[in-house]
Amino acid sequence: MSPGAGGGVTRTGLGWDSHRFKAGRPLILGGVELEGAELGLDGHSDADVLTHAVIDALLGAAGLDDIGAHFPDTDDAYEDADSISLLREVVAMLAARGLAVGHVDTTVLMERPKLGRHRVAIRERLADALGLDAASVNVKASTGEGMGFVGRLEGVAALAVATVRQSAA
Ligand code: MG
């Protein structure tokens, strides 16, 4: 672990998630509903695959297990849950341990619709939940080039990395 800007220690976490497309559901990515999307994502919660990846990156950096350990999909409390509020809970959980989020970078793997025109809104929404400037939250988009479950339009995947700084005791 390397020294962080505040004299503490900076740790990195990795997050990954995937959800299957399903008709009749909204497509929500990073807390933003992509209006006009033909298909949404299936899941116990709102199936916000991008926010789930960010949550796992934060939990990973903090050494706090994973999203399923904190918000089990067998718990009715999380049925159709707003993933952005879960993200806010995780940020508070980290803060209670003296951990501050430094920066988040993400990639959404989705054949269509194009993410481009939603990227600014998604960055701003995630940044607000993370307590960061939008400049510290990056959202990239990639496709499956027709290959694999992304390319076959079976679902969407997301990757995230996050840095978390432990304040010096
Ligand atoms: Mg998920």
Side-chain angles (χ1 to χ4, degrees), residues 54-141:
V54 170
I55 287 174
D56 258 357
L58 295 177
L59 291 172
L64 289 171
D65 297 315
D66 61 23
I67 188 170
H70 294 274
F71 311 109
D73 63 9
T74 50
D75 188 335
D76 289 346
Y78 303 116
E79 189 170 356
D80 294 325
D82 169 14
S83 296
I84 288 290
S85 14
L86 304 185
L87 175 58
R88 290 184 194 279
E89 278 189 48
V90 169
V91 171
M93 198 184 298
L94 267 57
R97 289 166 172 78
L99 297 167
V101 183
H103 146 270
V104 169
D105 183 30
T106 65
T107 300
V108 176
L109 298 154
M110 182 167 71
E111 206 70 3
R112 63 171 188 258
K114 293 278 181 224
L115 198 63
R117 67 190 178 90
H118 304 283
R119 272 157 73 159
V120 170
I122 292 172
R123 285 177 74 158
E124 288 175 351
R125 183 94 167 104
L126 285 172
D128 179 64
L130 288 158
L132 297 174
D133 293 336
S136 298
V137 181
N138 196 53
V139 176
K140 307 186 300 299

